[in-house]
Amino acid sequence: MERKPGEEEPARVVKLRAVEATPESFAPFGQVIAASPDGEEFGPHDAQLDLSRGVPRFYIMRLQDRPLEFSNITHHAGVTQCLGAIGGQDWYLGVAKPSIVDGPSEQSGQEGRKPVRSRAGHYYLPPDPAEVCVFRVSGPKFLKLNKGTWHAGPLFKADAVDFYNLELSNTNVVDHTTHRFKKHDGITFVIED
Protein backbone atom coordinates (compact mmCIF):
# COMPACT_ATOMS: atom_id res chain seq x y z
CA MET A 1 0.00 0.00 0.00
CA GLU A 2 1.42 3.38 -1.01
CA ARG A 3 1.46 6.29 1.45
CA LYS A 4 0.24 9.70 0.42
CA PRO A 5 2.67 12.64 0.63
CA GLY A 6 2.90 13.90 4.22
CA GLU A 7 1.30 10.74 5.62
CA GLU A 8 3.02 9.24 8.67
CA GLU A 9 4.63 5.84 8.47
CA PRO A 10 2.58 3.30 10.47
CA ALA A 11 3.87 2.75 14.00
CA ARG A 12 5.51 -0.53 14.94
CA VAL A 13 3.53 -2.28 17.68
CA VAL A 14 5.56 -3.39 20.71
CA LYS A 15 3.77 -5.82 23.02
CA LEU A 16 4.57 -5.62 26.73
CA ARG A 17 3.61 -8.22 29.32
CA ALA A 18 2.20 -6.67 32.52
CA VAL A 19 4.04 -7.47 35.76
CA GLU A 20 2.30 -7.29 39.14
CA ALA A 21 3.30 -4.14 41.04
CA THR A 22 4.96 -5.16 44.30
CA PRO A 23 7.22 -3.08 46.57
CA GLU A 24 10.21 -4.93 45.09
CA SER A 25 9.24 -4.90 41.40
CA PHE A 26 8.17 -1.24 41.39
CA ALA A 27 11.08 0.11 43.51
CA PRO A 28 13.03 1.71 40.59
CA PHE A 29 9.96 3.87 39.81
CA GLY A 30 8.45 4.59 43.22
CA GLN A 31 6.50 2.76 45.91
CA VAL A 32 3.55 0.42 46.19
CA ILE A 33 1.50 1.39 49.24
CA ALA A 34 -0.89 -1.08 50.85
CA ALA A 35 -3.04 -0.93 53.99
CA SER A 36 -1.33 -0.75 57.37
CA PRO A 37 -2.82 -1.01 60.86
CA ASP A 38 -4.32 2.14 62.37
CA GLY A 39 -1.90 3.80 64.77
CA GLU A 40 1.23 2.45 63.10
CA GLU A 41 3.93 5.11 63.07
CA PHE A 42 5.32 6.70 59.91
CA GLY A 43 8.02 4.63 58.25
CA PRO A 44 9.50 3.39 54.98
CA HIS A 45 6.27 1.50 54.13
CA ASP A 46 4.45 4.87 53.86
CA ALA A 47 4.55 7.07 50.76
CA GLN A 48 7.71 9.20 50.85
CA LEU A 49 6.25 12.38 49.37
CA ASP A 50 7.77 15.57 47.98
CA LEU A 51 5.03 18.20 47.68
CA SER A 52 7.36 21.07 48.64
CA ARG A 53 7.11 23.06 45.40
CA GLY A 54 3.51 24.16 45.67
CA VAL A 55 0.03 23.58 47.02
CA PRO A 56 -0.90 19.88 47.19
CA ARG A 57 -3.97 18.81 45.23
CA PHE A 58 -5.80 15.64 46.27
CA TYR A 59 -8.78 14.84 44.08
CA ILE A 60 -10.87 12.14 42.43
CA MET A 61 -10.13 11.80 38.74
CA ARG A 62 -12.72 10.05 36.53
CA LEU A 63 -11.12 8.38 33.52
CA GLN A 64 -13.02 6.78 30.64
CA ASP A 65 -12.02 4.66 27.68
CA ARG A 66 -8.36 4.03 28.55
CA PRO A 67 -7.59 0.79 26.67
CA LEU A 68 -4.39 -1.16 27.25
CA GLU A 69 -2.21 0.70 24.74
CA PHE A 70 -0.17 3.90 24.64
CA SER A 71 2.22 5.88 22.49
CA ASN A 72 2.80 8.87 24.81
CA ILE A 73 4.52 8.92 28.19
CA THR A 74 4.76 11.80 30.71
CA HIS A 75 6.85 12.84 33.69
CA HIS A 76 6.62 15.47 36.43
CA ALA A 77 10.04 16.83 37.46
CA GLY A 78 8.98 18.76 40.55
CA VAL A 79 6.64 16.47 42.50
CA THR A 80 5.93 12.93 43.56
CA GLN A 81 2.52 11.71 42.42
CA CYS A 82 0.17 9.15 43.96
CA LEU A 83 -2.48 7.25 42.00
CA GLY A 84 -4.96 4.58 43.10
CA ALA A 85 -8.22 3.13 41.82
CA ILE A 86 -11.19 3.75 44.08
CA GLY A 87 -12.72 0.35 44.79
CA GLY A 88 -9.50 -1.54 44.08
CA GLN A 89 -10.17 -2.43 40.43
CA ASP A 90 -7.19 -3.71 38.46
CA TRP A 91 -5.38 -1.05 36.43
CA TYR A 92 -2.14 -0.72 34.48
CA LEU A 93 0.66 1.81 34.23
CA GLY A 94 3.45 1.96 31.65
CA VAL A 95 6.65 3.37 33.16
CA ALA A 96 10.29 4.20 32.47
CA LYS A 97 12.94 5.34 34.93
CA PRO A 98 13.46 9.05 35.57
CA SER A 99 15.89 10.62 33.11
CA ILE A 100 16.25 14.21 34.32
CA VAL A 101 19.78 15.57 33.77
CA ASP A 102 21.65 18.66 34.95
CA GLY A 103 22.13 20.33 31.60
CA PRO A 104 22.34 20.14 27.83
CA SER A 105 25.84 18.65 27.70
CA GLU A 106 25.35 15.73 30.11
CA GLN A 107 26.16 12.38 28.48
CA SER A 108 24.10 9.30 29.25
CA GLY A 109 25.45 6.36 27.32
CA GLN A 110 22.09 5.99 25.56
CA GLU A 111 22.98 5.93 21.88
CA GLY A 112 21.29 8.74 19.99
CA ARG A 113 19.48 10.16 23.02
CA LYS A 114 20.59 13.71 23.68
CA PRO A 115 19.34 16.01 26.46
CA VAL A 116 16.17 17.97 25.65
CA ARG A 117 14.96 21.09 27.46
CA SER A 118 11.36 20.81 28.67
CA ARG A 119 8.81 23.63 28.58
CA ALA A 120 9.16 23.67 32.38
CA GLY A 121 12.86 24.51 32.03
CA HIS A 122 14.58 21.30 33.14
CA TYR A 123 16.63 18.98 30.91
CA TYR A 124 15.88 15.30 30.37
CA LEU A 125 16.89 12.40 28.18
CA PRO A 126 14.02 11.01 26.11
CA PRO A 127 12.96 7.63 27.51
CA ASP A 128 14.45 4.59 25.78
CA PRO A 129 11.62 2.45 24.32
CA ALA A 130 13.60 -0.68 25.25
CA GLU A 131 13.37 0.30 28.94
CA VAL A 132 9.59 0.81 29.08
CA CYS A 133 7.70 -1.73 31.19
CA VAL A 134 4.12 -2.15 32.40
CA PHE A 135 2.74 -2.87 35.85
CA ARG A 136 -0.66 -4.24 36.89
CA VAL A 137 -2.00 -2.80 40.15
CA SER A 138 -4.43 -5.21 41.80
CA GLY A 139 -6.54 -4.68 44.88
CA PRO A 140 -6.65 -1.88 47.45
CA LYS A 141 -3.26 -0.22 47.03
CA PHE A 142 -1.81 2.81 45.31
CA LEU A 143 1.40 3.79 43.56
CA LYS A 144 3.67 6.66 44.56
CA LEU A 145 5.73 7.75 41.56
CA ASN A 146 9.20 9.16 42.19
CA LYS A 147 9.87 12.62 40.79
CA GLY A 148 10.64 12.31 37.09
CA THR A 149 9.27 8.78 36.63
CA TRP A 150 7.87 8.47 33.11
CA HIS A 151 4.31 7.12 33.17
CA ALA A 152 1.54 6.24 30.72
CA GLY A 153 -1.88 5.69 32.21
CA PRO A 154 -3.71 4.75 34.30
CA LEU A 155 -5.09 2.25 31.76
CA PHE A 156 -7.81 -0.32 32.41
CA LYS A 157 -10.23 -2.81 30.88
CA ALA A 158 -13.43 -1.27 32.32
CA ASP A 159 -15.35 1.51 30.57
CA ALA A 160 -14.56 4.02 33.35
CA VAL A 161 -12.68 4.03 36.67
CA ASP A 162 -12.38 6.71 39.35
CA PHE A 163 -8.86 7.31 40.69
CA TYR A 164 -7.61 9.35 43.57
CA ASN A 165 -4.68 11.52 42.56
CA LEU A 166 -2.23 13.44 44.76
CA GLU A 167 0.01 15.95 43.02
CA LEU A 168 0.35 19.75 43.09
CA SER A 169 -2.43 22.18 42.20
CA ASN A 170 -0.58 23.25 39.03
CA THR A 171 1.27 20.04 38.07
CA ASN A 172 -0.54 19.57 34.77
CA VAL A 173 0.01 23.23 33.81
CA VAL A 174 3.66 23.91 34.70
CA ASP A 175 5.25 20.46 35.22
CA HIS A 176 3.94 18.17 32.49
CA THR A 177 6.56 16.85 30.03
CA THR A 178 5.44 14.35 27.37
CA HIS A 179 7.45 12.15 25.02
CA ARG A 180 5.64 10.87 21.91
CA PHE A 181 6.96 7.42 21.01
CA LYS A 182 4.91 7.23 17.82
CA LYS A 183 6.33 10.51 16.50
CA HIS A 184 9.94 10.18 17.70
CA ASP A 185 10.49 6.39 17.72
CA GLY A 186 7.78 5.03 15.40
CA ILE A 187 6.40 2.87 18.21
CA THR A 188 3.11 2.25 19.96
CA PHE A 189 2.89 -0.10 22.98
CA VAL A 190 0.17 -2.70 23.57
CA ILE A 191 -0.22 -4.34 26.99
CA GLU A 192 -0.66 -8.11 27.19
CA ASP A 193 -2.20 -9.51 30.34
PDB file of all heavy atoms in Angstrom, residues 85-112:
ATOM      1  N   ALA A  85      -6.840   3.326  42.276  1.00  0.00           N
ATOM      2  CA  ALA A  85      -8.218   3.133  41.821  1.00  0.00           C
ATOM      3  C   ALA A  85      -9.145   3.034  43.027  1.00  0.00           C
ATOM      4  O   ALA A  85      -8.906   2.240  43.939  1.00  0.00           O
ATOM      5  CB  ALA A  85      -8.337   1.873  40.973  1.00  0.00           C
ATOM      6  N   ILE A  86     -10.195   3.833  43.023  1.00  0.00           N
ATOM      7  CA  ILE A  86     -11.191   3.748  44.081  1.00  0.00           C
ATOM      8  C   ILE A  86     -11.968   2.455  43.876  1.00  0.00           C
ATOM      9  O   ILE A  86     -12.447   2.185  42.784  1.00  0.00           O
ATOM     10  CB  ILE A  86     -12.123   4.973  44.048  1.00  0.00           C
ATOM     11  CG1 ILE A  86     -11.317   6.226  44.359  1.00  0.00           C
ATOM     12  CG2 ILE A  86     -13.298   4.800  45.005  1.00  0.00           C
ATOM     13  CD1 ILE A  86     -12.083   7.508  44.246  1.00  0.00           C
ATOM     14  N   GLY A  87     -12.048   1.636  44.900  1.00  0.00           N
ATOM     15  CA  GLY A  87     -12.719   0.351  44.786  1.00  0.00           C
ATOM     16  C   GLY A  87     -11.766  -0.797  44.499  1.00  0.00           C
ATOM     17  O   GLY A  87     -12.165  -1.946  44.496  1.00  0.00           O
ATOM     18  N   GLY A  88     -10.508  -0.487  44.243  1.00  0.00           N
ATOM     19  CA  GLY A  88      -9.501  -1.535  44.081  1.00  0.00           C
ATOM     20  C   GLY A  88      -9.543  -2.300  42.772  1.00  0.00           C
ATOM     21  O   GLY A  88      -9.003  -3.396  42.693  1.00  0.00           O
ATOM     22  N   GLN A  89     -10.169  -1.742  41.719  1.00  0.00           N
ATOM     23  CA  GLN A  89     -10.167  -2.427  40.432  1.00  0.00           C
ATOM     24  C   GLN A  89      -8.734  -2.548  39.909  1.00  0.00           C
ATOM     25  O   GLN A  89      -7.888  -1.724  40.191  1.00  0.00           O
ATOM     26  CB  GLN A  89     -10.992  -1.654  39.375  1.00  0.00           C
ATOM     27  CG  GLN A  89     -12.436  -1.501  39.702  1.00  0.00           C
ATOM     28  CD  GLN A  89     -12.737  -0.144  40.332  1.00  0.00           C
ATOM     29  OE1 GLN A  89     -11.995   0.365  41.154  1.00  0.00           O
ATOM     30  NE2 GLN A  89     -13.867   0.424  39.969  1.00  0.00           N
ATOM     31  N   ASP A  90      -8.493  -3.571  39.088  1.00  0.00           N
ATOM     32  CA  ASP A  90      -7.186  -3.713  38.459  1.00  0.00           C
ATOM     33  C   ASP A  90      -6.973  -2.583  37.456  1.00  0.00           C
ATOM     34  O   ASP A  90      -7.899  -2.194  36.742  1.00  0.00           O
ATOM     35  CB  ASP A  90      -7.084  -5.045  37.708  1.00  0.00           C
ATOM     36  CG  ASP A  90      -6.950  -6.234  38.649  1.00  0.00           C
ATOM     37  OD1 ASP A  90      -6.965  -6.041  39.883  1.00  0.00           O
ATOM     38  OD2 ASP A  90      -6.835  -7.361  38.137  1.00  0.00           O
ATOM     39  N   TRP A  91      -5.757  -2.062  37.404  1.00  0.00           N
ATOM     40  CA  TRP A  91      -5.382  -1.054  36.427  1.00  0.00           C
ATOM     41  C   TRP A  91      -3.918  -1.224  36.080  1.00  0.00           C
ATOM     42  O   TRP A  91      -3.206  -2.011  36.711  1.00  0.00           O
ATOM     43  CB  TRP A  91      -5.708   0.354  36.922  1.00  0.00           C
ATOM     44  CG  TRP A  91      -5.076   0.773  38.214  1.00  0.00           C
ATOM     45  CD1 TRP A  91      -5.440   0.390  39.480  1.00  0.00           C
ATOM     46  CD2 TRP A  91      -3.974   1.663  38.389  1.00  0.00           C
ATOM     47  NE1 TRP A  91      -4.644   0.995  40.413  1.00  0.00           N
ATOM     48  CE2 TRP A  91      -3.734   1.782  39.766  1.00  0.00           C
ATOM     49  CE3 TRP A  91      -3.179   2.388  37.512  1.00  0.00           C
ATOM     50  CZ2 TRP A  91      -2.724   2.579  40.296  1.00  0.00           C
ATOM     51  CZ3 TRP A  91      -2.169   3.202  38.035  1.00  0.00           C
ATOM     52  CH2 TRP A  91      -1.958   3.277  39.410  1.00  0.00           C
ATOM     53  N   TYR A  92      -3.468  -0.506  35.049  1.00  0.00           N
ATOM     54  CA  TYR A  92      -2.143  -0.715  34.484  1.00  0.00           C
ATOM     55  C   TYR A  92      -1.445   0.629  34.308  1.00  0.00           C
ATOM     56  O   TYR A  92      -2.087   1.645  34.050  1.00  0.00           O
ATOM     57  CB  TYR A  92      -2.247  -1.411  33.122  1.00  0.00           C
ATOM     58  CG  TYR A  92      -2.966  -2.735  33.227  1.00  0.00           C
ATOM     59  CD1 TYR A  92      -4.354  -2.781  33.270  1.00  0.00           C
ATOM     60  CD2 TYR A  92      -2.260  -3.934  33.312  1.00  0.00           C
ATOM     61  CE1 TYR A  92      -5.024  -3.984  33.393  1.00  0.00           C
ATOM     62  CE2 TYR A  92      -2.930  -5.140  33.425  1.00  0.00           C
ATOM     63  CZ  TYR A  92      -4.308  -5.162  33.472  1.00  0.00           C
ATOM     64  OH  TYR A  92      -4.969  -6.358  33.605  1.00  0.00           O
ATOM     65  N   LEU A  93      -0.118   0.598  34.422  1.00  0.00           N
ATOM     66  CA  LEU A  93       0.664   1.809  34.234  1.00  0.00           C
ATOM     67  C   LEU A  93       1.950   1.441  33.505  1.00  0.00           C
ATOM     68  O   LEU A  93       2.706   0.581  33.954  1.00  0.00           O
ATOM     69  CB  LEU A  93       1.001   2.441  35.591  1.00  0.00           C
ATOM     70  CG  LEU A  93       1.551   3.857  35.560  1.00  0.00           C
ATOM     71  CD1 LEU A  93       0.464   4.843  35.135  1.00  0.00           C
ATOM     72  CD2 LEU A  93       2.115   4.262  36.909  1.00  0.00           C
ATOM     73  N   GLY A  94       2.178   2.086  32.337  1.00  0.00           N
ATOM     74  CA  GLY A  94       3.450   1.961  31.648  1.00  0.00           C
ATOM     75  C   GLY A  94       4.424   2.926  32.295  1.00  0.00           C
ATOM     76  O   GLY A  94       4.059   4.057  32.621  1.00  0.00           O
ATOM     77  N   VAL A  95       5.668   2.504  32.494  1.00  0.00           N
ATOM     78  CA  VAL A  95       6.654   3.366  33.159  1.00  0.00           C
ATOM     79  C   VAL A  95       8.030   3.213  32.529  1.00  0.00           C
ATOM     80  O   VAL A  95       8.342   2.213  31.878  1.00  0.00           O
ATOM     81  CB  VAL A  95       6.765   3.077  34.680  1.00  0.00           C
ATOM     82  CG1 VAL A  95       5.489   3.411  35.418  1.00  0.00           C
ATOM     83  CG2 VAL A  95       7.174   1.650  34.942  1.00  0.00           C
ATOM     84  N   ALA A  96       8.850   4.231  32.758  1.00  0.00           N
ATOM     85  CA  ALA A  96      10.285   4.202  32.474  1.00  0.00           C
ATOM     86  C   ALA A  96      10.963   5.008  33.573  1.00  0.00           C
ATOM     87  O   ALA A  96      10.359   5.913  34.163  1.00  0.00           O
ATOM     88  CB  ALA A  96      10.583   4.789  31.098  1.00  0.00           C
ATOM     89  N   LYS A  97      12.212   4.675  33.851  1.00  0.00           N
ATOM     90  CA  LYS A  97      12.941   5.340  34.935  1.00  0.00           C
ATOM     91  C   LYS A  97      13.106   6.834  34.662  1.00  0.00           C
ATOM     92  O   LYS A  97      13.170   7.257  33.514  1.00  0.00           O
ATOM     93  CB  LYS A  97      14.320   4.705  35.109  1.00  0.00           C
ATOM     94  CG  LYS A  97      14.270   3.304  35.651  1.00  0.00           C
ATOM     95  CD  LYS A  97      15.662   2.741  35.794  1.00  0.00           C
ATOM     96  CE  LYS A  97      15.600   1.290  36.239  1.00  0.00           C
ATOM     97  NZ  LYS A  97      16.936   0.683  36.261  1.00  0.00           N
ATOM     98  N   PRO A  98      13.202   7.624  35.740  1.00  0.00           N
ATOM     99  CA  PRO A  98      13.461   9.049  35.570  1.00  0.00           C
ATOM    100  C   PRO A  98      14.731   9.272  34.753  1.00  0.00           C
ATOM    101  O   PRO A  98      15.689   8.495  34.845  1.00  0.00           O
ATOM    102  CB  PRO A  98      13.647   9.560  36.998  1.00  0.00           C
ATOM    103  CG  PRO A  98      12.920   8.574  37.851  1.00  0.00           C
ATOM    104  CD  PRO A  98      13.094   7.250  37.152  1.00  0.00           C
ATOM    105  N   SER A  99      14.721  10.329  33.945  1.00  0.00           N
ATOM    106  CA  SER A  99      15.891  10.619  33.109  1.00  0.00           C
ATOM    107  C   SER A  99      16.197  12.116  33.075  1.00  0.00           C
ATOM    108  O   SER A  99      16.658  12.645  32.071  1.00  0.00           O
ATOM    109  CB  SER A  99      15.657  10.081  31.692  1.00  0.00           C
ATOM    110  OG  SER A  99      14.501  10.668  31.118  1.00  0.00           O
ATOM    111  N   ILE A 100      15.950  12.788  34.197  1.00  0.00           N
ATOM    112  CA  ILE A 100      16.247  14.212  34.318  1.00  0.00           C
ATOM    113  C   ILE A 100      17.764  14.369  34.455  1.00  0.00           C
ATOM    114  O   ILE A 100      18.402  13.607  35.201  1.00  0.00           O
ATOM    115  CB  ILE A 100      15.501  14.820  35.523  1.00  0.00           C
ATOM    116  CG1 ILE A 100      13.989  14.709  35.285  1.00  0.00           C
ATOM    117  CG2 ILE A 100      15.917  16.256  35.755  1.00  0.00           C
ATOM    118  CD1 ILE A 100      13.146  15.013  36.490  1.00  0.00           C
ATOM    119  N   VAL A 101      18.330  15.322  33.734  1.00  0.00           N
ATOM    120  CA  VAL A 101      19.775  15.570  33.771  1.00  0.00           C
ATOM    121  C   VAL A 101      20.039  17.029  34.135  1.00  0.00           C
ATOM    122  O   VAL A 101      19.143  17.863  34.084  1.00  0.00           O
ATOM    123  CB  VAL A 101      20.445  15.187  32.427  1.00  0.00           C
ATOM    124  CG1 VAL A 101      20.338  13.688  32.174  1.00  0.00           C
ATOM    125  CG2 VAL A 101      19.857  15.968  31.264  1.00  0.00           C
ATOM    126  N   ASP A 102      21.300  17.320  34.485  1.00  0.00           N
ATOM    127  CA  ASP A 102      21.647  18.662  34.955  1.00  0.00           C
ATOM    128  C   ASP A 102      21.709  19.712  33.860  1.00  0.00           C
ATOM    129  O   ASP A 102      21.520  20.888  34.128  1.00  0.00           O
ATOM    130  CB  ASP A 102      22.980  18.628  35.703  1.00  0.00           C
ATOM    131  CG  ASP A 102      22.860  17.903  37.037  1.00  0.00           C
ATOM    132  OD1 ASP A 102      21.755  17.892  37.612  1.00  0.00           O
ATOM    133  OD2 ASP A 102      23.872  17.337  37.492  1.00  0.00           O
ATOM    134  N   GLY A 103      22.015  19.320  32.634  1.00  0.00           N
ATOM    135  CA  GLY A 103      22.135  20.331  31.598  1.00  0.00           C
ATOM    136  C   GLY A 103      22.222  19.737  30.210  1.00  0.00           C
ATOM    137  O   GLY A 103      22.193  18.520  30.043  1.00  0.00           O
ATOM    138  N   PRO A 104      22.370  20.590  29.216  1.00  0.00           N
ATOM    139  CA  PRO A 104      22.336  20.137  27.830  1.00  0.00           C
ATOM    140  C   PRO A 104      23.541  19.318  27.398  1.00  0.00           C
ATOM    141  O   PRO A 104      23.478  18.602  26.414  1.00  0.00           O
ATOM    142  CB  PRO A 104      22.260  21.439  27.032  1.00  0.00           C
ATOM    143  CG  PRO A 104      22.834  22.472  27.925  1.00  0.00           C
ATOM    144  CD  PRO A 104      22.507  22.034  29.326  1.00  0.00           C
ATOM    145  N   SER A 105      24.638  19.372  28.136  1.00  0.00           N
ATOM    146  CA  SER A 105      25.837  18.655  27.703  1.00  0.00           C
ATOM    147  C   SER A 105      26.047  17.329  28.430  1.00  0.00           C
ATOM    148  O   SER A 105      27.008  16.630  28.156  1.00  0.00           O
ATOM    149  CB  SER A 105      27.072  19.544  27.892  1.00  0.00           C
ATOM    150  OG  SER A 105      27.218  19.860  29.259  1.00  0.00           O
ATOM    151  N   GLU A 106      25.167  16.977  29.357  1.00  0.00           N
ATOM    152  CA  GLU A 106      25.353  15.732  30.109  1.00  0.00           C
ATOM    153  C   GLU A 106      25.220  14.528  29.182  1.00  0.00           C
ATOM    154  O   GLU A 106      24.301  14.435  28.377  1.00  0.00           O
ATOM    155  CB  GLU A 106      24.343  15.634  31.254  1.00  0.00           C
ATOM    156  CG  GLU A 106      24.607  14.450  32.164  1.00  0.00           C
ATOM    157  CD  GLU A 106      23.829  14.528  33.463  1.00  0.00           C
ATOM    158  OE1 GLU A 106      23.623  15.632  33.977  1.00  0.00           O
ATOM    159  OE2 GLU A 106      23.429  13.464  33.942  1.00  0.00           O
ATOM    160  N   GLN A 107      26.166  13.613  29.294  1.00  0.00           N
ATOM    161  CA  GLN A 107      26.159  12.384  28.483  1.00  0.00           C
ATOM    162  C   GLN A 107      25.491  11.275  29.276  1.00  0.00           C
ATOM    163  O   GLN A 107      25.583  11.203  30.486  1.00  0.00           O
ATOM    164  CB  GLN A 107      27.593  11.976  28.127  1.00  0.00           C
ATOM    165  CG  GLN A 107      28.332  13.021  27.332  1.00  0.00           C
ATOM    166  CD  GLN A 107      27.663  13.317  25.995  1.00  0.00           C
ATOM    167  OE1 GLN A 107      27.267  12.416  25.279  1.00  0.00           O
ATOM    168  NE2 GLN A 107      27.542  14.585  25.664  1.00  0.00           N
ATOM    169  N   SER A 108      24.835  10.350  28.549  1.00  0.00           N
ATOM    170  CA  SER A 108      24.099   9.305  29.247  1.00  0.00           C
ATOM    171  C   SER A 108      24.517   7.902  28.898  1.00  0.00           C
ATOM    172  O   SER A 108      24.232   6.975  29.617  1.00  0.00           O
ATOM    173  CB  SER A 108      22.617   9.424  28.921  1.00  0.00           C
ATOM    174  OG  SER A 108      22.402   8.969  27.602  1.00  0.00           O
ATOM    175  N   GLY A 109      25.152   7.713  27.757  1.00  0.00           N
ATOM    176  CA  GLY A 109      25.450   6.361  27.324  1.00  0.00           C
ATOM    177  C   GLY A 109      24.331   5.771  26.487  1.00  0.00           C
ATOM    178  O   GLY A 109      24.467   4.713  25.925  1.00  0.00           O
ATOM    179  N   GLN A 110      23.185   6.456  26.402  1.00  0.00           N
ATOM    180  CA  GLN A 110      22.087   5.995  25.559  1.00  0.00           C
ATOM    181  C   GLN A 110      22.353   6.485  24.149  1.00  0.00           C
ATOM    182  O   GLN A 110      22.306   7.679  23.883  1.00  0.00           O
ATOM    183  CB  GLN A 110      20.734   6.534  26.034  1.00  0.00           C
ATOM    184  CG  GLN A 110      20.247   5.967  27.326  1.00  0.00           C
ATOM    185  CD  GLN A 110      18.883   6.551  27.679  1.00  0.00           C
ATOM    186  OE1 GLN A 110      18.349   7.422  27.025  1.00  0.00           O
ATOM    187  NE2 GLN A 110      18.312   6.031  28.745  1.00  0.00           N
ATOM    188  N   GLU A 111      22.665   5.572  23.271  1.00  0.00           N
ATOM    189  CA  GLU A 111      22.979   5.926  21.877  1.00  0.00           C
ATOM    190  C   GLU A 111      21.869   6.754  21.248  1.00  0.00           C
ATOM    191  O   GLU A 111      20.711   6.369  21.254  1.00  0.00           O
ATOM    192  CB  GLU A 111      23.194   4.645  21.076  1.00  0.00           C
ATOM    193  CG  GLU A 111      23.556   4.887  19.647  1.00  0.00           C
ATOM    194  CD  GLU A 111      24.990   4.539  19.336  1.00  0.00           C
ATOM    195  OE1 GLU A 111      25.677   4.001  20.215  1.00  0.00           O
ATOM    196  OE2 GLU A 111      25.390   4.811  18.229  1.00  0.00           O
ATOM    197  N   GLY A 112      22.239   7.913  20.717  1.00  0.00           N
ATOM    198  CA  GLY A 112      21.287   8.741  19.986  1.00  0.00           C
ATOM    199  C   GLY A 112      20.314   9.520  20.848  1.00  0.00           C
ATOM    200  O   GLY A 112      19.460  10.221  20.327  1.00  0.00           O
TER     201      GLY A 112
END
